[in-house]
Amino acid sequence: MPIDPTTPAGMGLALLPEVVLSVAAMAVLLVVAWRHDGPADSRRAGWLALGSLLLAAAALAWLAANTPEEPGLGSMVALDGFRYVGSALLLLVSAGSVLSSLGYLERERLVAPEYYVLLLLAVVGLLFMVNAQDLIVLFLGLETMSVAVYVLAGYNRGSAFSAEAALKYFLIGAFASGFLLYGIALVYGAAGTTNIVQVGAQFGQGNLSLMGKLGLGLLVIGFGFKVAAVPFHMWAPDVYDGAPTPVAGFMATAVKTAGFIALARVLYTSFQASLLVWQPILFGLAVATMVLGNLVALAQKSLKRMLAYSSVAHAGYLLAALWPGSPLGISALTFYLVGYGLTSIAAFALLGALGRDGERDVTLAEVGGLAETRPWMAFALAVCMLSLLGFPGTVGFIGKWYILSSIVATKHAVLAVLLVLTSIVSAGYYMPVIMAMYMRPARAPLVYFDRGLAGTARLAVAIGVIAVLAFGIYPTPVLQLANAAAESLIVTAGQLVAGR
């Protein structure tokens, strides 16, 4: 069936995954309105949410299979491989968040099933961010996601830390939205349109005016808040620390993925000809984020805060992947997002199983001797730490190597050297976790007797760890996928320059 995004019916088909997920979220909300009394109702809502994500994935697969070869320019919704890969990754990590949440919410006595409706609505917003080919659509997707995640961050109403996390995320999110919206307004003033591809056509000769430069700067600041890049990262450790652990995992993977994909589309499509304007900005942000994220993570005692600062450091690596402004850089960014998403969702699921009451007290001493009594949990957490470190044999190593290759291809050594050095620094907080699990004795013989993964969380961790090892040994399928996604984005930019 041909899809013509210039007609209402064609636009409906182009938004099929988002429409399916929105309808499914409303259906789950209706079910929740009738059945919301206990753990069984919460589990039912969780399984319905998981089914909704699978339906959206099926719709996405149909859309990808029926996309026209030349969807044309000027549509508000992108129809390219970059969108499809990003959306598929979002649905995958969101499914991991649902699986991690099923047992966690019951254990923490947070059984209100509305949680899953909010999660689905947040995913709808993220999908719009990824498919947006218009700055207004991007902003609406961002706000849809943000409102749902504000509530999810404060979902543990009995915890003052959770309330603090929600308030901080709300206030900082409002600032970020203000910067982003003002940037959109200035870009509109300079280009006369908010359509990303048409903005690229206006600035295609590198004729970026002062108003356009200011708009670009404010857009980068807005995205910097959302992806927790230094110096806009201040909210991330406290919000991740106070939010329920599956929500923190969702924010560290899904929200970050959508933020980087949207930023990449804006930079490479609208401002590709102004590479020399935004490259120095990304260089400064990447260096500051890698250095500060890794150094501050060294000083953390709580594993949850350590993972929070670690996510800041990984935002620096992703900014470094964006910096070259080349197809290789986009491909490296896509591959790294896949590897980081799989690893982090498993790591946060394990952290949620090890802790209690918000997991603020899970420290190195708490995981001492874990390998003796919970060997598979220790093995899974060790694999996650090694992948985040970038150890050979894991997908994290291939991801960092790919980013280095994209930087070195531009013959720019400084950023590559800094990436390697900061990765070495990260061993100072990843390796002690493994050493504590395998080399330290447990605090007491029965300390881990009640610390185990629920069945659904076990499935999420198993899929994540197997994928981390499999793609670390045989990364070809993901590399091909990342290359195809990058080429589709570059083709769109090329059409702009050619005026087609």
Side-chain angles (χ1 to χ4, degrees):
M1 180 183 298
I3 300 174
D4 182 2
T6 60
T7 65
M11 181 57 74
L13 290 174
L15 289 171
L16 191 62
E18 290 78 7
V19 171
V20 167
L21 195 58
S22 300
V23 172
M26 293 302 102
V28 176
L29 182 61
L30 281 176
V31 173
V32 165
W34 287 97
R35 305 294 296 270
H36 60 277
D37 291 331
D41 294 331
S42 180
R43 280 196 299 276
R44 183 182 297 108
W47 286 112
L48 287 173
L50 196 62
S52 304
L53 293 171
L54 289 175
L55 280 177
L60 182 68
W62 180 88
L63 183 61
N66 290 276
T67 294
E69 292 184 4
E70 293 187 4
L73 301 175
S75 169
M76 298 180 80
V77 176
L79 288 171
D80 56 28
F82 194 54
R83 170 198 172 181
Y84 301 142
V85 172
S87 298
L89 179 58
L90 285 177
L91 293 173
L92 181 64
V93 297
S94 301
S97 296
V98 171
L99 290 171
S100 305
S101 301
L102 280 166
Y104 178 90
L105 295 181
E106 289 185 35
R107 192 198 74 197
E108 297 291 319
R109 297 181 292 283
L110 302 171
V111 292
E114 292 83 359
Y115 173 93
Y116 297 103
V117 180
L118 290 167
L119 195 66
L120 290 179
L121 293 176
V123 179
V124 171
L126 293 172
L127 290 178
F128 270 104
M129 285 178 66
V130 168
N131 75 32
Q133 206 159 238
D134 189 284
L135 293 172
I136 298 300
V137 176
L138 193 160
F139 181 75
L140 292 176
L142 180 73
E143 288 304 294
T144 304
M145 175 276 294
S146 297
V147 171
V149 177
Y150 295 152
V151 183
L152 286 171
Y155 204 73
N156 188 355
R157 289 177 295 176
S159 166
F161 298 106
S162 189
E164 179 189 354
L167 185 60
K168 277 191 177 177
Y169 193 51
F170 170 71
L171 293 175
I172 299 296
F175 274 112
S177 297
F179 279 111
L180 203 66
L181 199 55
Y182 200 17
I184 292 172
L186 291 179
V187 169
Y188 176 76
T193 177
T194 55
N195 189 286
I196 289 174
V197 290
Q198 291 174 2
V199 170
Q202 290 288 331
F203 300 144
Q205 304 304 317
N207 52 340
L208 191 61
S209 63
L210 178 60
M211 185 181 289
K213 289 178 182 175
L214 288 173
L216 170 62
L218 291 175
L219 285 177
V220 171
I221 290 174
F223 279 114
F225 274 112
K226 290 300 176 185
V227 302
V230 174
F232 315 111
H233 70 290
M234 300 78 70
W235 60 272
D238 291 338
V239 173
Y240 287 13
D241 196 25
T245 302
V247 176
F250 179 76
M251 295 171 72
T253 54
V255 175
K256 196 179 290 289
T257 296
F260 270 105
I261 287 179
L263 176 60
R265 187 180 294 283
V266 170
L267 290 180
Y268 278 66
T269 306
S270 295
F271 299 99
Q272 178 63 28
S274 307
L275 189 71
L276 296 179
V277 175
W278 55 261
Q279 260 193 335
I281 301 173
L282 284 198
F283 179 85
L285 288 176
V287 171
T289 306
M290 288 189 294
V291 171
L292 195 134
N294 280 299
L295 289 180
V296 179
L298 280 174
Q300 303 305 311
K301 294 180 180 177
S302 161
L303 293 190
K304 199 172 182 183
R305 288 189 74 85
M306 183 272 280
L307 284 177
Y309 277 105
S310 161
S311 81
V312 173
H314 285 277
Y317 304 145
L318 290 162
L319 286 168
L322 271 179
W323 176 83
S326 64
L328 193 59
I330 284 291
S331 183
L333 173 86
T334 308
F335 185 93
Y336 200 85
L337 284 172
V338 173
Y340 178 71
L342 290 169
T343 308
S344 290
I345 210 69
F348 276 97
L350 287 162
L351 184 63
L354 288 171
R356 293 291 185 274
D357 300 326
E359 293 72 54
R360 294 174 54 83
D361 58 345
V362 179
T363 61
L364 286 180
E366 285 289 322
V367 299
L370 181 67
E372 294 179 13
T373 50
R374 298 286 180 184
W376 286 107
M377 286 182 69
F379 173 75
L381 190 56
V383 170
C384 291
M385 293 297 110
L386 290 174
S387 182
L388 291 171
L389 169 61
F391 199 78
T394 64
V395 71
F397 172 76
I398 305 293
K400 284 188 179 176
W401 181 266
Y402 206 12
I403 292 176
L404 280 173
S405 300
S406 68
I407 299 171
V408 171
T410 64
K411 303 187 184 306
H412 193 282
V414 175
L415 195 57
V417 170
L418 283 172
L419 194 152
V420 173
L421 290 177
T422 51
S423 295
I424 293 172
V425 170
S426 70
Y429 55 87
Y430 288 132
M431 294 305 291
V433 179
I434 301 174
M435 292 167 65
M437 291 189 296
Y438 284 91
M439 297 180 184
R440 287 187 184 180
R443 289 185 297 112
L446 297 177
V447 68
Y448 299 117
F449 78 96
D450 62 341
R451 310 290 170 99
L453 282 164
T456 51
R458 194 178 302 150
L459 177 62
V461 170
I463 292 173
V465 169
I466 290 171
V468 164
L469 293 174
F471 294 141
I473 298 169
Y474 183 65
T476 305
V478 185
L479 287 174
Q480 291 174 341
L481 208 61
N483 286 335
E487 286 174 7
S488 69
L489 183 65
I490 298 304
V491 164
T492 303
Q495 287 176 331
L496 282 173
V497 174
R500 287 189 282 141

